[in-house]
C-alpha cells in the first residue's frame, strides 16, 4: 500500500461572517419589529458597502421565551428574537470595515469569521497532482530498494481531502 500526499497552502481571499441582531421585549411583536428594523438597517449598509445581495442570506432566525426563576417559580420575562445573517465578503481587505459598519448599523452579535478561498477546486487539483506524483515516487523507491516489480496500475484508489481555509490537502492513491 502506497499513500501519496499533496499539500497546497494559499492565502485566503474571502471571509464568511455570521452576524446579526438579538432583541428582547415583553411583547413579541415589538421585539420582532425592533429586530427587523435593525436587520433592514444592516442590509442597507451592506448594500452601500457594495456587498452583493447574493452574498447575504439568513443563517438563523429564532424566537425564544425568556424566563427567570424566582423562589423556585418560573416568571415570564419576555421574548428574545435572534436573526443572524451569513455574509460572504469577497474583498478580504474590507472585512473589518464591513463588520464595523454592520455593528454601527445595529448588529449586536458577531459570532464567527471564517477565512477561505473563492475557488478551492483550482488548488485542490494542484494538491491532487502533487499527491499522485508523491505516490508514484514512493512506489518507485520501493521497487528499486526491494528489487521487486510494482504495477503502475493501482488496484484501488482512495481519495481523502481536507480544507482548513488556507491549506488544501488531498491524500490519494493507496495502491495495493
Amino acid at each position: 500500500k502506497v499513500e501519496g500526499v499533496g499539500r497546497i497552502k494559499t492565502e485566503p481571499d474571502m471571509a464568511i461572517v455570521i452576524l446579526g441582531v438579538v432583541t428582547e421585549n415583553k411583547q413579541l411583536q415589538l421585539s420582532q419589529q425592533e429586530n427587523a428594523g435593525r436587520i433592514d438597517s444592516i442590509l442597507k449598509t451592506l448594500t452601500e458597502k457594495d456587498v452583493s445581495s447574493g452574498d447575504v442570506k439568513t443563517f438563523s432566525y429564532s424566537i425564544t421565551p425568556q424566563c427567570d426563576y424566582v423562589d423556585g417559580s418560573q416568571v415570564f420575562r419576555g421574548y428574545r428574537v435572534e436573526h443572524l445573517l451569513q455574509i460572504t465578503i469577497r474583498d478580504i481587505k474590507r472585512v473589518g470595515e464591513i463588520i464595523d459598519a454592520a455593528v454601527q448599523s445595529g448588529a449586536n452579535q458577531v459570532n464567527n469569521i471564517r477565512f477561505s478561498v473563492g475557488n478551492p477546486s483550482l488548488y485542490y487539483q494542484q494538491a491532487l497532482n502533487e499527491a499522485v506524483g508523491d505516490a508514484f515516487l514512493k512506489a518507485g523507491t520501493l521497487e528499486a530498494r526491494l528489487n521487486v516489480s510494482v504495477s503502475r496500475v493501482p488496484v484501488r484508489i482512495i481519495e481523502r481531502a481536507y480544507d482548513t481555509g488556507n491549506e488544501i490537502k488531498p491524500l490519494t492513491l493507496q495502491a495495493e
Side-chain angles (χ1 to χ4, degrees), residues 45-112:
T45 297
L46 293 173
T47 299
E48 290 169 358
K49 294 288 182 183
D50 297 321
V51 175
S52 166
S53 62
D55 286 337
V56 180
K57 63 183 177 181
T58 293
F59 180 76
S60 69
Y61 185 89
S62 64
I63 299 171
T64 312
Q66 300 295 294
C67 297
D68 291 325
Y69 290 91
V70 179
D71 297 326
S73 296
Q74 202 175 28
V75 178
F76 177 74
R77 188 176 72 222
Y79 292 95
R80 174 187 168 119
V81 176
E82 180 180 76
H83 187 172
L84 297 177
L85 303 172
Q86 177 178 300
I87 304 163
T88 301
I89 302 171
R90 300 199 182 274
D91 182 353
I92 202 161
K93 294 175 184 164
R94 298 186 63 216
V95 171
E97 166 197 347
I98 291 170
I99 291 172
D100 289 348
V103 169
Q104 289 172 6
S105 295
N108 59 6
Q109 296 287 305
V110 180
N111 295 338
N112 191 357

Side-chain angles (χ1 to χ4, degrees), residues 23-37 61 63 76 78-81:
T23 54
E24 289 188 19
N25 195 300
K26 275 196 178 276
Q27 296 180 18
L28 177 58
Q29 185 176 4
L30 292 178
S31 189
Q32 287 178 303
Q33 286 173 349
E34 179 187 352
N35 195 292
Y61 185 89
I63 299 171
F76 177 74
Y79 292 95
R80 174 187 168 119
V81 176

